[in-house]
Amino acid sequence: MLKSAIVKKLNFQIGQMLMVGVGSYELTRAELKICQSYNFGGFILFSRNCCDPTQIHFLCRSLSTSTGNLPFIAIDAEGGSVHRLPMPFTHFPAAALVGKTGNPDLAFRVGRAVAAELTLLGINLNFAPVLDVNSNAENPIIGDRAFGATPDQVAAMALPWSEGLSSSGIIPCGKHFPGHGNTDTDSHLDLPLVAKSLTALHAVELQPFLHACRSRIPALMTAHVVFPAFEEEFPATLSSRIVTGVLRQELGYEGVVFSDDMEMKAITGHFDAEQAAVSAVRAGINVLLYCHDLTKAAGIVELLCREARHDSQLRARIEESTARIDKLK
């Protein structure tokens, strides 16, 4: 049996490995109680959380004091169609428009401008830039969110954009590893599959991520996409072969790895939700996103606590994850 002090530490560590969403413009009493009980490591904001500058700033302050450790406060601020903040905040152009200029200095300045507005609100992490290559014209979910249709174009523009974020104090998180650009399915709605060879994946999808790893981007997000060349059974988020084997070992990545939203249909429509959470942690995911159902996130913390108490390998994964999280924070 693990001693009570170790169990208490383990529970706190697991809470730090979850990023959650809340329902509206301010924390309800019920939400605050759950956040205080489970010590979530981060929060993600959506349009439903953003009314005006004063309200957003107050919500961010409330979130930052709702847990026992400094939380990540994140948003998807890509520009273009993925834009959460209301007027008077700037609606920045889509990545594809920035990419078409071929001007890395402009990309840097756009990233810096995005960061300047996020910093004012108390946000500290942006789930951007998109490092996917827009190589499939029928892709329903990436399109102009990508900086270009070739890996060189994406790397040349996305990385300066990312550095612009960092220069103004925002943590960039590149997505969606190992690449969502060639899918013909929206992973919010179903489980996509990319049936490309290893050679083709390394030549196109992996190239921007390789450059990002070499540039030491501090965070990456995985894709809920199956790549049979790597792993036939599981999407990247649940695959040790992809997260640990390819990203950590082959590409040498040392930063924090976030999952995409674990409540998306690519996961919930094909896998048991609880088992998926355990599989993701075993695969090497450091932070799990639960963007909609706070009680579900609390249940996942309890599940992982139960599993980890009698599984030393899972505990080792948790120790590794919390060390990476603490270093980034």
Side-chain angles (χ1 to χ4, degrees):
M1 291 288 291
L2 296 176
K3 294 181 179 180
S4 59
I6 297 175
V7 171
K8 185 176 180 180
K9 176 186 175 184
L10 183 63
N11 292 356
F12 181 83
Q13 290 177 318
I14 293 169
Q16 290 296 292
M17 292 176 63
L18 268 73
M19 175 176 280
V20 300
V22 296
S24 189
Y25 297 147
E26 60 183 31
L27 277 176
T28 66
R29 289 184 179 180
E31 288 175 331
L32 178 59
K33 185 176 180 180
I34 293 173
C35 293
Q36 290 174 334
S37 297
Y38 291 93
N39 289 299
F40 296 120
F43 301 91
I44 180 169
L45 304 184
F46 292 91
S47 297
R48 67 177 187 259
N49 306 118
C50 301
C51 176
D52 60 63
T54 299
Q55 170 270 319
I56 301 167
H57 185 261
F58 183 81
L59 176 60
C60 289
R61 288 192 65 182
S62 298
L63 294 172
S64 69
T65 58
S66 67
T67 68
N69 197 3
L70 174 70
F72 296 121
I73 300 180
I75 198 166
D76 295 292
E78 300 174 16
S81 61
V82 183
H83 171 75
R84 314 298 191 204
L85 297 178
M87 293 288 289
F89 294 100
T90 307
H91 192 160
F92 289 94
L97 293 176
V98 178
K100 284 179 181 178
T101 70
N103 185 341
D105 181 62
L106 175 64
F108 175 88
R109 288 187 285 125
V110 173
R112 184 174 60 189
V114 172
E117 295 195 0
L118 299 182
T119 303
L120 288 172
L121 295 170
I123 294 167
N124 54 36
L125 189 151
N126 188 5
F127 285 121
V130 169
L131 294 171
D132 305 317
V133 180
N134 187 31
S135 54
N136 182 355
E138 301 301 316
N139 193 315
I141 190 63
I142 300 302
D144 67 359
R145 297 169 64 193
F147 283 87
T150 69
D152 288 345
Q153 186 180 18
V154 171
M157 299 299 286
L159 296 183
W161 196 97
S162 169
E163 290 163 3
L165 288 180
S166 297
S167 73
S168 289
I170 296 294
I171 300 166
C173 180
K175 58 189 183 185
H176 309 80
F177 183 82
H180 209 315
N182 197 248
T183 63
D184 58 8
T185 303
D186 181 349
S187 53
H188 293 85
L189 307 176
D190 205 348
L191 181 60
L193 181 146
V194 174
K196 297 178 72 171
S197 68
L198 278 177
T199 300
L201 290 170
H202 278 276
V204 178
E205 275 74 11
L206 289 181
Q207 282 302 307
F209 291 97
L210 174 61
H211 287 287
C213 292
R214 288 175 175 172
S215 298
R216 298 185 180 179
I217 192 169
L220 290 173
M221 174 184 282
T222 57
H224 297 333
V225 178
V226 174
F227 298 85
F230 291 130
E231 164 94 55
E232 293 188 358
E233 186 176 0
F234 297 110
T237 301
L238 310 185
S239 170
S240 179
R241 170 71 188 99
I242 293 174
V243 179
T244 297
V246 178
L247 183 57
R248 293 294 190 198
Q249 296 173 357
E250 292 185 26
L251 302 189
Y253 185 60
E254 294 293 335
V256 172
V257 179
F258 290 78
S259 77
D260 208 338
D261 183 8
M262 296 295 289
E263 296 177 85
M264 289 162 59
K265 290 292 186 182
I267 300 296
T268 62
H270 297 266
F271 304 95
D272 176 79
E274 291 190 345
Q275 187 54 51
V278 176
S279 296
V281 174
R282 291 190 191 281
I285 298 294
N286 304 131
V287 181
L288 302 172
L289 266 68
Y290 289 87
C291 298
H292 303 284
D293 190 336
L294 202 59
T295 58
K296 181 178 290 185
I300 293 298
V301 173
E302 293 179 357
L303 165 73
L304 289 170
C305 289
R306 291 194 301 271
E307 293 289 321
R309 287 175 188 178
H310 57 78
D311 188 328
S312 60
Q313 291 183 335
L314 188 61
R315 291 200 301 275
R317 281 296 198 193
I318 292 164
E319 287 283 349
E320 176 188 343
S321 290
T322 51
R324 293 186 190 278
I325 292 165
D326 287 346
K327 182 178 180 181
L328 180 55
K329 286 186 174 182

